[in-house]
Amino acid sequence: MPAKLQYSASMYLALHRTLYVAFGPPNIGVFVEMGAILSSAVLVLLVRRRAGFWPTLIGAGCLLVGLVTYFAQVEPANAALKMMAVEAPPENWKLWRDQWEHGHALHFLFDFLGFCALTWSVLLPSPTAVDGSSRRLPTYDSSARARCSRRESAAADHRPRFPHGVAFRVSGPRPSFPGLP
């Protein structure tokens, strides 16, 4: 961005009209952004009861705020810059240039934060049943070891034991783990 701020008015306006043609409405840029926002909104609905819900919601919100920022800051500057004559721009062209550049920087910031939050939501562990199915989320039971001995607990209610002493209640047959009692 600092290099572009040093361009003359005619160079900046010529560059603005030729380099970024395919990104503004009604071209591909808006459809890509809308697809990302709609996909992340669907993802929010799909993970609403899982560990990644809040980062997914934050990510979708950041993408939405980024698009709102684009239409509030960049698009008005686009319209004003397109109306200016390349050879004789008005005196206030730098105000529109600065709004366009800073609006894009802010838009990028929100999109980057949204991407980071969505990536974080994917990296969080997703609880599943011990047998590998996702039919029911297990519940953490920290007091299981105190109530019963390992052998009684595992035999009585099919709670497999893990090396850390954590028990999960899972319906269905007891899976076998080699090397564990």
Side-chain angles (χ1 to χ4, degrees):
M1 179 167 72
K4 285 175 59 182
L5 295 178
Q6 303 303 318
Y7 292 164
S8 66
S10 59
M11 173 107 163
Y12 187 87
L13 291 173
L15 185 69
H16 182 267
R17 292 181 184 166
T18 57
L19 188 60
Y20 306 111
V21 175
F23 292 102
N27 294 311
I28 193 168
V30 173
F31 297 111
V32 170
E33 292 236 14
M34 289 303 296
I37 292 169
L38 292 175
S39 298
S40 61
V42 168
L43 190 59
V44 166
L45 294 175
L46 292 175
V47 299
R48 66 184 176 272
R49 292 188 180 102
R50 297 193 183 220
F53 171 74
W54 289 108
T56 306
L57 183 65
I58 290 168
C62 284
L63 292 179
L64 183 62
V65 170
L67 188 66
V68 168
T69 301
Y70 175 84
F71 280 108
Q73 295 256 324
V74 177
E75 194 52 35
N78 272 339
L81 290 170
K82 284 180 186 175
M83 298 301 293
M84 294 179 190
V86 175
E87 300 81 26
E91 292 295 321
N92 68 346
W93 79 272
K94 287 185 178 183
L95 295 174
W96 289 109
R97 176 202 61 192
D98 292 344
Q99 180 176 332
W100 191 89
E101 294 290 343
H102 294 112
H104 268 89
L106 194 58
H107 179 215
F108 168 76
L109 177 68
F110 283 119
D111 279 358
F112 181 70
L113 291 174
F115 173 75
C116 290
L118 289 169
T119 302
W120 178 34
S121 74
V122 171
L123 296 176
L124 288 174
S126 178
T128 58
V130 174
D131 63 357
S133 71
S134 60
R135 68 179 183 278
R136 180 174 163 235
L137 297 177
T139 57
Y140 176 70
D141 188 3
S142 62
S143 62
R145 188 172 187 162
R147 286 195 313 257
C148 303
S149 71
R150 292 178 98 180
R151 190 174 305 131
E152 291 170 348
S153 174
D157 54 357
H158 303 291
R159 277 187 258 157
R161 288 293 174 176
F162 296 95
H164 311 312
V166 176
F168 287 94
R169 295 180 187 172
V170 179
S171 61
R174 180 175 184 246
S176 62
F177 295 101
L180 295 178

